[in-house]
Every structure is written in C-alpha cells, then in structure tokens.
Amino acid sequence: MTRAETKERNRRALLDAAFQVVSRDGHRARLEEIAERAGLTTGAVYSLFGSKNNLVVAMVTDHQVPHYEEIEQAVPAGADLLEAVDGFARYYRRSCDTPDAVSTLSLQITLMDMALHDAGLRAQLAASVQAQERHLTALFTGRPHSAGVVTPDQARRLVTALRALFVGLGQGVVLGLAEGADEQFFADAARALVSDMTVVAHGTGGSEHRGRG
C-alpha cells in the first residue's frame, strides 16, 4: 500500500469512527475513543484534520456528498424552476423513508447541540451549510421561470427557504408528526414558495419575473 493509500485509509477510518461516536455522544464525544475505534492515535487526527472540530466538519461534509450527487440526478438538467423544485422536494421526501433516516435525524440534532456548546464549531458548521447551499443555488440558477430566468440571488433566497421547509417537514415525517405529508405534499409545499415568485422576486431583477408559474 502506498503512502497516499494509507493516508486515505486512515482518513476514512477516522471519518467512520467519528460518525459512530459523535452520533452517540454529541459534544461529549472523546477524541481518544474516535481514534481508538479507527485503530489509530489522536496524533493521526491532528495530522490528518488538525483538530477535533475539523474532523467533525469533514465528517458532516463526507456524509452529505452522496446526497448532493443524488439530488443532481433527481433534478432534470433541462427542467424549468417549478419542475426542478418538484424533483428536489420528492427526492427529499423519499430520503425520509430510507433505513438511515432516524440516524440522520439523530446526527442533525446532535450537531445542533454541539454547535450550541462550541462557538468555534458553530461557525465552522455554518460555513459548511453555506457551502451546501451554494451547491444548490447553482442547481437552480438560470432555470426558466415565468417571463425570465432565475438569477443567482433569487436562487440563493429560494434555497434558504427550501432548506428550512424540508428540514422541518423531514423531522416531522421521521418523528411521526407530519401525517399525510407524502411526496405530493412536499412537492406542493415547495412549489408554493415559487408559484408567484414571492420568495425569489426580491432578488436581483425580481420585478421582471412576477406572475404565476
């Protein structure tokens, strides 16, 4: 095994161990246990990630990568804004029924708790979420809607609203608090955000794009 392969193996082992320990213990997660589960030392954590917080942020990013790849497949490249939002909403609803939906929700809540206990980690996680939102912003930017196309600023506003909507609805589904919130419900709720451009119309050039979708 080459040095690069060994480094990647160790990195993967630490990310997997961090997911297990952090999901269980939250802000009380011990770096020593994470390293032990990975079969490494705490020195390896600092060598590969620099700090415990950096490891946690890398773990979150690693956990999200497959989802963004799936989102791109769920949202047709040539679709207009309403079709794109519909596809995104239906994908998010389906993710609430996967075998790891409960563990994913548990991790979300754990990370929120950790962020409340550590201002530094809170800032890093916020930056990570913003990076995720930029990815989605690019996904919606330039799509046809009503009389024009969606600008980057409009797409950014929309993504912020969609994230808040889906996180809340998704938690409700997993916890059994959103009876009847099926794929069509998610799609209808998401479409309502852009049906008359009430969310994105305030962005750059928004006054040109009012009207029913």
Side-chain angles (χ1 to χ4, degrees):
M1 184 176 293
T2 66
R3 183 167 185 164
E5 290 172 336
T6 299
K7 181 178 179 179
E8 180 55 31
R9 182 198 62 185
N10 292 345
R11 181 179 178 278
R12 180 74 264 158
L14 286 169
L15 289 171
D16 291 342
F19 184 86
Q20 296 169 8
V21 177
V22 169
S23 296
R24 185 193 68 201
D25 297 341
H27 70 275
R28 289 178 288 273
R30 295 171 56 250
L31 197 59
E32 292 78 7
E33 182 178 356
I34 293 174
E36 183 179 354
R37 278 178 175 262
L40 299 166
T41 65
T42 55
V45 177
Y46 291 109
S47 174
L48 289 168
F49 297 98
S51 69
K52 175 183 172 181
N53 281 0
N54 287 348
L55 170 59
V56 171
V57 173
M59 176 202 74
V60 173
T61 301
D62 180 73
H63 185 67
Q64 290 295 323
V65 166
H67 294 289
Y68 283 99
E69 293 175 347
E70 292 169 3
I71 288 171
E72 289 186 351
Q73 295 176 1
V75 179
D80 64 19
L81 181 63
L82 285 176
E83 293 171 329
V85 165
D86 187 287
F88 182 31
R90 292 178 184 278
Y91 164 79
Y92 205 102
R93 177 59 182 84
R94 289 193 298 271
S95 71
C96 297
D97 294 328
T98 59
D100 65 344
V102 172
S103 61
T104 297
L105 175 57
S106 177
L107 179 61
Q108 288 177 357
I109 295 172
T110 295
L111 290 171
M112 290 174 63
D113 181 56
M114 293 178 72
L116 291 173
H117 283 83
D118 187 328
L121 179 60
R122 182 162 65 247
Q124 286 182 273
L125 288 174
S128 176
V129 170
Q130 289 166 354
Q132 296 167 17
E133 289 194 347
R134 286 194 293 273
H135 184 94
L136 292 175
T137 294
L139 189 64
F140 292 116
T141 297
R143 291 185 182 272
H145 186 75
S146 188
V149 297
V150 180
T151 68
D153 191 53
Q154 291 173 331
R156 177 186 58 78
R157 291 172 60 84
L158 174 61
V159 166
T160 298
L162 286 173
R163 180 175 59 81
L165 173 66
F166 291 155
V167 167
L169 281 176
Q171 291 176 355
V173 170
V174 176
L175 294 173
L177 301 175
E179 185 178 356
D182 55 11
E183 275 191 37
Q184 190 61 52
F185 184 94
F186 269 60
D188 289 344
R191 279 174 169 262
L193 289 175
V194 296
S195 61
D196 60 0
M197 300 298 285
T198 55
V199 172
V200 299
H202 296 289
T204 303
S207 61
E208 300 174 5
H209 306 313
R210 291 185 183 274
R212 287 285 170 187

Short mmCIF file of all heavy atoms in Angstrom, two decimals, residues 115-154:
data_model
loop_
_atom_site.label_atom_id
_atom_site.label_comp_id
_atom_site.label_asym_id
_atom_site.label_seq_id
_atom_site.Cartn_x
_atom_site.Cartn_y
_atom_site.Cartn_z
N ALA A 115 -23.04 22.47 18.33
CA ALA A 115 -22.82 23.85 17.90
C ALA A 115 -23.19 24.84 18.99
O ALA A 115 -22.54 25.88 19.15
CB ALA A 115 -23.64 24.13 16.64
N LEU A 116 -24.21 24.51 19.77
CA LEU A 116 -24.63 25.39 20.85
C LEU A 116 -23.60 25.42 21.98
O LEU A 116 -23.51 26.39 22.73
CB LEU A 116 -25.99 24.95 21.40
CG LEU A 116 -27.19 25.16 20.46
CD1 LEU A 116 -28.44 24.55 21.06
CD2 LEU A 116 -27.40 26.66 20.21
N HIS A 117 -22.83 24.35 22.10
CA HIS A 117 -21.82 24.27 23.16
C HIS A 117 -20.46 24.77 22.73
O HIS A 117 -19.56 24.93 23.56
CB HIS A 117 -21.68 22.81 23.64
CG HIS A 117 -22.79 22.35 24.53
ND1 HIS A 117 -23.99 21.88 24.05
CD2 HIS A 117 -22.88 22.30 25.89
CE1 HIS A 117 -24.77 21.54 25.06
NE2 HIS A 117 -24.14 21.80 26.18
N ASP A 118 -20.27 25.01 21.43
CA ASP A 118 -18.94 25.37 20.93
C ASP A 118 -19.10 26.40 19.82
O ASP A 118 -19.48 26.06 18.70
CB ASP A 118 -18.24 24.12 20.40
CG ASP A 118 -16.78 24.36 20.01
OD1 ASP A 118 -16.46 25.48 19.56
OD2 ASP A 118 -15.98 23.42 20.14
N ALA A 119 -18.79 27.67 20.14
CA ALA A 119 -18.97 28.75 19.17
C ALA A 119 -18.09 28.55 17.94
O ALA A 119 -18.48 28.87 16.82
CB ALA A 119 -18.65 30.09 19.82
N GLY A 120 -16.89 28.01 18.15
CA GLY A 120 -15.99 27.78 17.03
C GLY A 120 -16.56 26.75 16.06
O GLY A 120 -16.54 26.94 14.84
N LEU A 121 -17.06 25.66 16.62
CA LEU A 121 -17.66 24.62 15.78
C LEU A 121 -18.92 25.16 15.12
O LEU A 121 -19.19 24.84 13.95
CB LEU A 121 -18.00 23.38 16.62
CG LEU A 121 -18.66 22.23 15.87
CD1 LEU A 121 -17.77 21.73 14.75
CD2 LEU A 121 -19.00 21.09 16.84
N ARG A 122 -19.68 25.98 15.83
CA ARG A 122 -20.89 26.57 15.26
C ARG A 122 -20.56 27.36 14.00
O ARG A 122 -21.25 27.25 12.98
CB ARG A 122 -21.57 27.49 16.28
CG ARG A 122 -22.86 28.11 15.78
CD ARG A 122 -23.71 28.63 16.92
NE ARG A 122 -23.09 29.74 17.63
CZ ARG A 122 -22.67 29.68 18.90
NH1 ARG A 122 -22.77 28.55 19.59
NH2 ARG A 122 -22.14 30.74 19.48
N ALA A 123 -19.49 28.13 14.05
CA ALA A 123 -19.09 28.92 12.88
C ALA A 123 -18.65 28.02 11.74
O ALA A 123 -18.97 28.27 10.56
CB ALA A 123 -17.97 29.88 13.27
N GLN A 124 -17.94 26.95 12.06
CA GLN A 124 -17.48 26.03 11.02
C GLN A 124 -18.64 25.28 10.37
O GLN A 124 -18.66 25.10 9.15
CB GLN A 124 -16.48 25.03 11.61
CG GLN A 124 -15.11 25.62 11.91
CD GLN A 124 -14.16 24.56 12.45
OE1 GLN A 124 -14.11 24.31 13.66
NE2 GLN A 124 -13.40 23.94 11.57
N LEU A 125 -19.59 24.85 11.19
CA LEU A 125 -20.75 24.15 10.65
C LEU A 125 -21.62 25.08 9.81
O LEU A 125 -22.17 24.67 8.78
CB LEU A 125 -21.58 23.54 11.78
CG LEU A 125 -20.96 22.32 12.48
CD1 LEU A 125 -21.80 21.91 13.68
CD2 LEU A 125 -20.79 21.16 11.52
N ALA A 126 -21.72 26.35 10.24
CA ALA A 126 -22.48 27.33 9.46
C ALA A 126 -21.85 27.52 8.09
O ALA A 126 -22.54 27.59 7.07
CB ALA A 126 -22.54 28.65 10.21
N ALA A 127 -20.51 27.58 8.07
CA ALA A 127 -19.81 27.72 6.80
C ALA A 127 -20.03 26.49 5.91
O ALA A 127 -20.16 26.61 4.69
CB ALA A 127 -18.31 27.92 7.04
N SER A 128 -20.11 25.32 6.54
CA SER A 128 -20.35 24.09 5.80
C SER A 128 -21.75 24.10 5.18
O SER A 128 -21.93 23.73 4.01
CB SER A 128 -20.20 22.88 6.72
OG SER A 128 -20.51 21.67 6.05
N VAL A 129 -22.75 24.55 5.96
CA VAL A 129 -24.12 24.63 5.45
C VAL A 129 -24.19 25.63 4.30
O VAL A 129 -24.85 25.40 3.28
CB VAL A 129 -25.09 25.04 6.57
CG1 VAL A 129 -26.47 25.37 5.99
CG2 VAL A 129 -25.20 23.92 7.60
N GLN A 130 -23.50 26.75 4.44
CA GLN A 130 -23.49 27.76 3.39
C GLN A 130 -22.87 27.22 2.11
O GLN A 130 -23.33 27.53 1.00
CB GLN A 130 -22.74 29.00 3.87
CG GLN A 130 -23.50 29.78 4.95
CD GLN A 130 -22.64 30.80 5.66
OE1 GLN A 130 -21.42 30.87 5.45
NE2 GLN A 130 -23.26 31.60 6.50
N ALA A 131 -21.84 26.39 2.26
CA ALA A 131 -21.23 25.77 1.08
C ALA A 131 -22.22 24.82 0.40
O ALA A 131 -22.31 24.76 -0.83
CB ALA A 131 -19.97 25.00 1.49
N GLN A 132 -22.99 24.08 1.21
CA GLN A 132 -24.02 23.19 0.67
C GLN A 132 -25.08 24.00 -0.07
O GLN A 132 -25.55 23.60 -1.14
CB GLN A 132 -24.65 22.39 1.81
CG GLN A 132 -23.71 21.44 2.51
CD GLN A 132 -24.29 20.92 3.81
OE1 GLN A 132 -25.49 21.00 4.06
NE2 GLN A 132 -23.44 20.39 4.67
N GLU A 133 -25.45 25.14 0.52
CA GLU A 133 -26.48 25.97 -0.10
C GLU A 133 -25.98 26.56 -1.42
O GLU A 133 -26.76 26.72 -2.36
CB GLU A 133 -26.91 27.07 0.86
CG GLU A 133 -27.74 26.56 2.03
CD GLU A 133 -28.45 27.67 2.77
OE1 GLU A 133 -28.12 28.85 2.54
OE2 GLU A 133 -29.34 27.35 3.59
N ARG A 134 -24.70 26.88 -1.49
CA ARG A 134 -24.15 27.39 -2.76
C ARG A 134 -24.25 26.32 -3.84
O ARG A 134 -24.49 26.64 -5.01
CB ARG A 134 -22.70 27.84 -2.57
CG ARG A 134 -22.56 29.16 -1.81
CD ARG A 134 -21.16 29.74 -1.95
NE ARG A 134 -20.16 28.92 -1.30
CZ ARG A 134 -19.82 29.03 -0.02
NH1 ARG A 134 -20.41 29.94 0.75
NH2 ARG A 134 -18.88 28.28 0.51
N HIS A 135 -24.06 25.08 -3.46
CA HIS A 135 -24.18 23.98 -4.41
C HIS A 135 -25.60 23.92 -4.96
O HIS A 135 -25.82 23.79 -6.17
CB HIS A 135 -23.84 22.67 -3.70
CG HIS A 135 -23.83 21.47 -4.59
ND1 HIS A 135 -22.69 21.00 -5.20
CD2 HIS A 135 -24.83 20.64 -4.99
CE1 HIS A 135 -22.99 19.94 -5.94
NE2 HIS A 135 -24.27 19.70 -5.82
N LEU A 136 -26.58 24.05 -4.08
CA LEU A 136 -27.98 24.03 -4.51
C LEU A 136 -28.35 25.29 -5.28
O LEU A 136 -29.14 25.24 -6.22
CB LEU A 136 -28.90 23.87 -3.30
CG LEU A 136 -28.83 22.52 -2.59
CD1 LEU A 136 -29.70 22.53 -1.34
CD2 LEU A 136 -29.26 21.39 -3.53
N THR A 137 -27.78 26.42 -4.87
CA THR A 137 -28.04 27.67 -5.59
C THR A 137 -27.65 27.54 -7.06
O THR A 137 -28.38 27.97 -7.96
CB THR A 137 -27.26 28.83 -4.94
OG1 THR A 137 -27.77 29.06 -3.62
CG2 THR A 137 -27.40 30.12 -5.75
N ALA A 138 -26.49 26.93 -7.29
CA ALA A 138 -26.04 26.73 -8.67
C ALA A 138 -26.99 25.81 -9.43
O ALA A 138 -27.19 25.96 -10.64
CB ALA A 138 -24.63 26.14 -8.67
N LEU A 139 -27.62 24.88 -8.69
CA LEU A 139 -28.53 23.92 -9.32
C LEU A 139 -29.79 24.61 -9.85
O LEU A 139 -30.34 24.22 -10.88
CB LEU A 139 -28.92 22.85 -8.30
CG LEU A 139 -29.70 21.64 -8.81
CD1 LEU A 139 -28.88 20.83 -9.81
CD2 LEU A 139 -30.13 20.76 -7.64
N PHE A 140 -30.24 25.68 -9.17
CA PHE A 140 -31.47 26.36 -9.56
C PHE A 140 -31.22 27.61 -10.41
O PHE A 140 -32.13 28.06 -11.11
CB PHE A 140 -32.27 26.75 -8.32
CG PHE A 140 -32.85 25.58 -7.57
CD1 PHE A 140 -32.45 25.30 -6.27
CD2 PHE A 140 -33.77 24.75 -8.17
CE1 PHE A 140 -32.98 24.22 -5.58
CE2 PHE A 140 -34.30 23.66 -7.49
CZ PHE A 140 -33.90 23.39 -6.19
N THR A 141 -30.03 28.15 -10.35
CA THR A 141 -29.72 29.37 -11.11
C THR A 141 -29.83 29.13 -12.62
O THR A 141 -29.38 28.11 -13.13
CB THR A 141 -28.29 29.86 -10.78
OG1 THR A 141 -28.24 30.21 -9.39
CG2 THR A 141 -27.93 31.08 -11.60
N GLY A 142 -30.43 30.10 -13.30
CA GLY A 142 -30.53 30.03 -14.76
C GLY A 142 -31.71 29.26 -15.28
O GLY A 142 -31.92 29.18 -16.50
N ARG A 143 -32.52 28.70 -14.39
CA ARG A 143 -33.68 27.92 -14.86
C ARG A 143 -34.81 28.86 -15.26
O ARG A 143 -35.06 29.88 -14.61
CB ARG A 143 -34.14 26.96 -13.78
CG ARG A 143 -33.13 25.84 -13.53
CD ARG A 143 -33.65 24.82 -12.55
NE ARG A 143 -32.63 23.79 -12.29
CZ ARG A 143 -32.48 22.68 -12.99
NH1 ARG A 143 -33.29 22.43 -14.01
NH2 ARG A 143 -31.53 21.80 -12.69
N PRO A 144 -35.53 28.52 -16.34
CA PRO A 144 -36.65 29.36 -16.78
C PRO A 144 -37.75 29.40 -15.73
O PRO A 144 -38.04 28.39 -15.08
CB PRO A 144 -37.14 28.65 -18.05
CG PRO A 144 -36.00 27.78 -18.48
CD PRO A 144 -35.32 27.35 -17.22
N HIS A 145 -38.34 30.58 -15.56
CA HIS A 145 -39.50 30.70 -14.69
C HIS A 145 -40.30 31.92 -15.09
O HIS A 145 -39.77 33.03 -15.16
CB HIS A 145 -39.10 30.83 -13.22
CG HIS A 145 -40.29 30.82 -12.30
ND1 HIS A 145 -40.99 29.67 -12.01
CD2 HIS A 145 -40.92 31.82 -11.64
CE1 HIS A 145 -41.99 29.97 -11.19
NE2 HIS A 145 -41.98 31.27 -10.95
N SER A 146 -41.56 31.72 -15.38
CA SER A 146 -42.44 32.79 -15.80
C SER A 146 -41.84 33.51 -17.00
O SER A 146 -41.55 32.89 -18.01
CB SER A 146 -42.69 33.75 -14.63
OG SER A 146 -43.68 34.69 -14.94
N ALA A 147 -41.57 34.81 -16.87
CA ALA A 147 -41.11 35.59 -18.02
C ALA A 147 -39.59 35.69 -18.13
O ALA A 147 -39.08 36.39 -19.00
CB ALA A 147 -41.70 37.00 -17.96
N GLY A 148 -38.87 35.02 -17.26
CA GLY A 148 -37.41 35.16 -17.31
C GLY A 148 -36.70 33.93 -16.79
O GLY A 148 -37.23 32.82 -16.86
N VAL A 149 -35.50 34.13 -16.27
CA VAL A 149 -34.73 33.05 -15.69
C VAL A 149 -34.33 33.44 -14.27
O VAL A 149 -34.27 34.62 -13.92
CB VAL A 149 -33.46 32.73 -16.52
CG1 VAL A 149 -33.85 32.24 -17.90
CG2 VAL A 149 -32.56 33.95 -16.61
N VAL A 150 -34.05 32.45 -13.46
CA VAL A 150 -33.71 32.68 -12.06
C VAL A 150 -32.27 33.16 -11.93
O VAL A 150 -31.34 32.54 -12.45
CB VAL A 150 -33.91 31.39 -11.24
CG1 VAL A 150 -33.55 31.61 -9.77
CG2 VAL A 150 -35.34 30.90 -11.37
N THR A 151 -32.08 34.27 -11.24
CA THR A 151 -30.75 34.82 -11.02
C THR A 151 -30.09 34.12 -9.83
O THR A 151 -30.78 33.48 -9.01
CB THR A 151 -30.82 36.32 -10.72
OG1 THR A 151 -31.45 36.52 -9.44
CG2 THR A 151 -31.59 37.06 -11.81
N PRO A 152 -28.77 34.24 -9.67
CA PRO A 152 -28.10 33.64 -8.51
C PRO A 152 -28.66 34.13 -7.18
O PRO A 152 -28.81 33.34 -6.24
CB PRO A 152 -26.63 34.07 -8.69
CG PRO A 152 -26.48 34.21 -10.17
CD PRO A 152 -27.79 34.79 -10.63
N ASP A 153 -28.98 35.42 -7.08
CA ASP A 153 -29.51 35.95 -5.83
C ASP A 153 -30.90 35.39 -5.55
O ASP A 153 -31.24 35.07 -4.41
CB ASP A 153 -29.56 37.48 -5.88
CG ASP A 153 -29.86 38.08 -4.52
OD1 ASP A 153 -29.13 37.75 -3.55
OD2 ASP A 153 -30.81 38.87 -4.40
N GLN A 154 -31.70 35.26 -6.58
CA GLN A 154 -33.03 34.67 -6.41
C GLN A 154 -32.92 33.21 -5.98
O GLN A 154 -33.64 32.74 -5.09
CB GLN A 154 -33.81 34.79 -7.71
CG GLN A 154 -34.21 36.21 -8.06
CD GLN A 154 -34.84 36.30 -9.44
OE1 GLN A 154 -34.55 35.49 -10.33
NE2 GLN A 154 -35.70 37.29 -9.64
#
